[in-house]
Amino acid sequence: MTINGTEGTTFIRSASAQGLAGLCTWAALLITSHQIYQHLRFYSCPAEQRWIVRILFIVPIYAFDSWLSLIFFSDNVYIYFNSIRDCYEAFVIYSFLSLCYEYLGGESNIMAEIRGKPIRPTNYLTCTCCLAGKQYTIEFLRFCKQATLQFCFIKPIMAVITLMLTAIGKYEDGDWSLDQGYIYITLVYNVSISLALYGMFLFYAATRDLLSPYRPVLKFLTVKSVIFLSFWQGFLIAILGATSAIDPIYDADGKEVIGRGTVAAGWQNFFICIEMFFAAIALRFAFNVSAYADAHNASSANDGRPVTLQSISSSLKETMNPKDIMQDAIHNFHPQYQQYTQHSNAQRPQQPGTSTSTEEQRMSKAGSATNYSTMVESGTHDSSSGAPSQATGNLLDA
């Protein structure tokens, strides 16, 4: 991937590269936009579909931002586009973990299933040897959520700091100097994203059997490849930018006009544009809308209400409301709620005449939303036994 040449002759700056990236970007946008529309049209299970729609938005945001960054990569303008993209990826990681919670009926139901069981696996390869002999507790589940939520807060903060350092000339992609901010931002990013990945791995290992009916492997691989692999791909390209593998761009007089770090960022944006086309296809299979469409059609046949643009707009507005994230953050970090588990709303009855397949049984049992205001104390009792004490009230008022 060695790049040599004067301004205007490098492939990454050519019309061919930008055209190919643009073609993949717009193809990914069309595929994912149609899938998002389908989920909003057949919005039969808001508790799950709001998380799915949030996850799907990663493709248009990643692809379009990367394409714009590729077009403006010769200036520092691309850093602003990348900051928007970076902030949303943290949101997607949290949304995916929350979707898994919804699949399993919420935090209290998960604890009822795994409480007291030995933690698996425990070995050096997965960095879980310190958990040998321990059992699943609410603290374990809380750690998985906290590991994900910390990335949601760290990522935007680092993005703002990056913009501030860029404004004062203390940040440039690929500049590993100790007096520049890039090395420190990268270090914090790596620690934060690795912790988030570790939390997701622990959760998956604990609930793998419970999640098996919902094709978790395809979903995990797709989401993780979009976010984590693209991050480490950018990290690898940045390292190459610090070597002779990627050269800066010079003008006709031999003066450097674009640094190695900026060229490396350009290659990262180009690769992301291409990869988002394949990610859009993979996400279409991973989060298929057919089960929700069947449930919606069965419901519509009973109440006779048509789907309108107003209802689709209302569903989109509900989906993108970030209030639930703040409530979840308070629940997972506030000391007052450390021994309480979130308790889901009552199940809605199965629609008459529908199939009893695994997917549709899940659809019929899903609540309309997680009730963050009702929690069950997680002591010796669980929500499935005894008469546990409850704490009620709005978490945002705590």
Side-chain angles (χ1 to χ4, degrees), residues 233-259:
Q233 172 183 274
F235 182 66
L236 176 61
I237 293 176
I239 293 178
L240 292 176
T243 68
S244 59
I246 296 179
D247 290 337
I249 298 178
Y250 302 94
D251 61 14
D253 298 326
K255 181 180 178 181
E256 181 179 312
V257 292
I258 301 178

Side-chain angles (χ1 to χ4, degrees), residues 191-213:
V191 172
S192 182
I193 200 170
S194 297
L195 183 60
L197 178 60
Y198 184 62
M200 290 184 67
F201 166 76
L202 290 178
F203 177 81
Y204 173 72
T207 61
R208 178 174 53 190
D209 294 337
L210 302 175
L211 286 170
S212 58

Side-chain angles (χ1 to χ4, degrees), residues 130-146:
C130 58
L131 300 177
K134 297 184 178 180
Q135 298 177 338
Y136 291 116
T137 62
I138 184 59
E139 287 78 11
F140 172 88
L141 203 59
R142 188 79 71 242
F143 171 79
C144 295
K145 244 329 175 37
Q146 289 173 345

Side-chain angles (χ1 to χ4, degrees), residues 107 323-334 336-338 340-343 370-375 391-398:
E107 191 175 74
K323 182 180 179 180
D324 51 8
I325 302 177
M326 298 304 299
Q327 290 175 326
D328 206 16
I330 293 174
H331 170 71
N332 281 277
F333 286 103
H334 199 292
Q336 181 179 348
Y337 302 107
Q338 291 305 296
Y340 290 85
T341 57
Q342 293 170 346
H343 186 67
T370 300
N371 185 350
Y372 292 97
S373 300
T374 303
M375 293 167 293
T392 60
N394 195 325
L395 291 179
L396 293 177
D397 296 333

Side-chain angles (χ1 to χ4, degrees), residues 3 8-26 63 66-73 263 266-275:
I3 301 169
T9 62
T10 305
F11 172 76
I12 202 65
R13 288 175 52 86
S14 67
S16 298
Q18 296 179 1
L20 178 59
L23 181 62
C24 291
T25 294
W26 285 103
S66 297
W67 186 51
L68 291 178
S69 299
L70 183 63
I71 294 175
F72 296 104
F73 94 102
V263 175
W267 279 103
Q268 167 71 346
N269 290 319
F270 174 76
F271 289 142
I272 287 179
C273 289
I274 306 299
E275 293 161 355

Side-chain angles (χ1 to χ4, degrees), residues 109-374:
N109 286 347
I110 297 173
M111 284 309 306
E113 293 288 343
I114 68 174
R115 182 185 297 281
K117 295 180 179 180
I119 296 178
R120 295 287 187 271
T122 52
N123 51 56
Y124 291 100
L125 181 63
T126 58
C127 300
T128 54
C129 53
C130 58
L131 300 177
K134 297 184 178 180
Q135 298 177 338
Y136 291 116
T137 62
I138 184 59
E139 287 78 11
F140 172 88
L141 203 59
R142 188 79 71 242
F143 171 79
C144 295
K145 244 329 175 37
Q146 289 173 345
T148 305
L149 283 168
Q150 59 83 25
F151 188 58
C152 294
F153 294 108
I154 293 295
K155 196 71 171 179
I157 292 174
M158 290 296 102
V160 172
I161 293 177
T162 297
L163 296 179
M164 294 173 60
L165 292 176
T166 300
I168 62 175
K170 287 294 183 179
Y171 181 90
E172 182 181 352
D173 279 318
D175 190 341
W176 299 89
S177 302
L178 295 179
D179 60 344
Q180 294 290 313
Y182 178 79
I183 185 173
Y184 306 106
I185 296 293
T186 302
L187 178 63
V188 173
Y189 271 160
N190 272 279
V191 172
S192 182
I193 200 170
S194 297
L195 183 60
L197 178 60
Y198 184 62
M200 290 184 67
F201 166 76
L202 290 178
F203 177 81
Y204 173 72
T207 61
R208 178 174 53 190
D209 294 337
L210 302 175
L211 286 170
S212 58
Y214 314 119
R215 297 187 301 169
V217 175
L218 178 59
K219 293 179 173 65
F220 266 87
L221 289 179
T222 304
V223 174
K224 286 183 178 181
S225 63
V226 170
I227 296 176
F228 295 108
L229 294 184
S230 64
F231 174 81
W232 281 313
Q233 172 183 274
F235 182 66
L236 176 61
I237 293 176
I239 293 178
L240 292 176
T243 68
S244 59
I246 296 179
D247 290 337
I249 298 178
Y250 302 94
D251 61 14
D253 298 326
K255 181 180 178 181
E256 181 179 312
V257 292
I258 301 178
R260 284 189 175 91
T262 303
V263 175
W267 279 103
Q268 167 71 346
N269 290 319
F270 174 76
F271 289 142
I272 287 179
C273 289
I274 306 299
E275 293 161 355
M276 285 305 102
F277 170 71
F278 299 99
I281 298 175
L283 287 170
R284 194 171 185 87
F285 286 98
F287 299 99
N288 197 290
V289 75
S290 59
Y292 302 102
D294 292 341
H296 180 273
N297 291 333
S299 176
S300 298
N302 292 331
D303 58 35
R305 289 181 299 177
V307 177
T308 63
L309 289 178
Q310 184 178 2
S311 65
I312 293 176
S313 176
S314 177
S315 299
L316 179 60
K317 183 178 179 180
E318 176 197 348
T319 296
M320 303 312 293
N321 189 341
K323 182 180 179 180
D324 51 8
I325 302 177
M326 298 304 299
Q327 290 175 326
D328 206 16
I330 293 174
H331 170 71
N332 281 277
F333 286 103
H334 199 292
Q336 181 179 348
Y337 302 107
Q338 291 305 296
Q339 295 302 316
Y340 290 85
T341 57
Q342 293 170 346
H343 186 67
S344 297
N345 284 335
Q347 297 174 349
R348 68 170 181 253
Q350 183 174 353
Q351 296 294 338
T354 57
S355 169
T356 57
S357 64
T358 302
E359 189 76 7
E360 291 183 346
Q361 287 178 11
R362 171 176 61 82
M363 293 290 302
S364 67
K365 294 179 180 179
S368 60
T370 300
N371 185 350
Y372 292 97
S373 300
T374 303

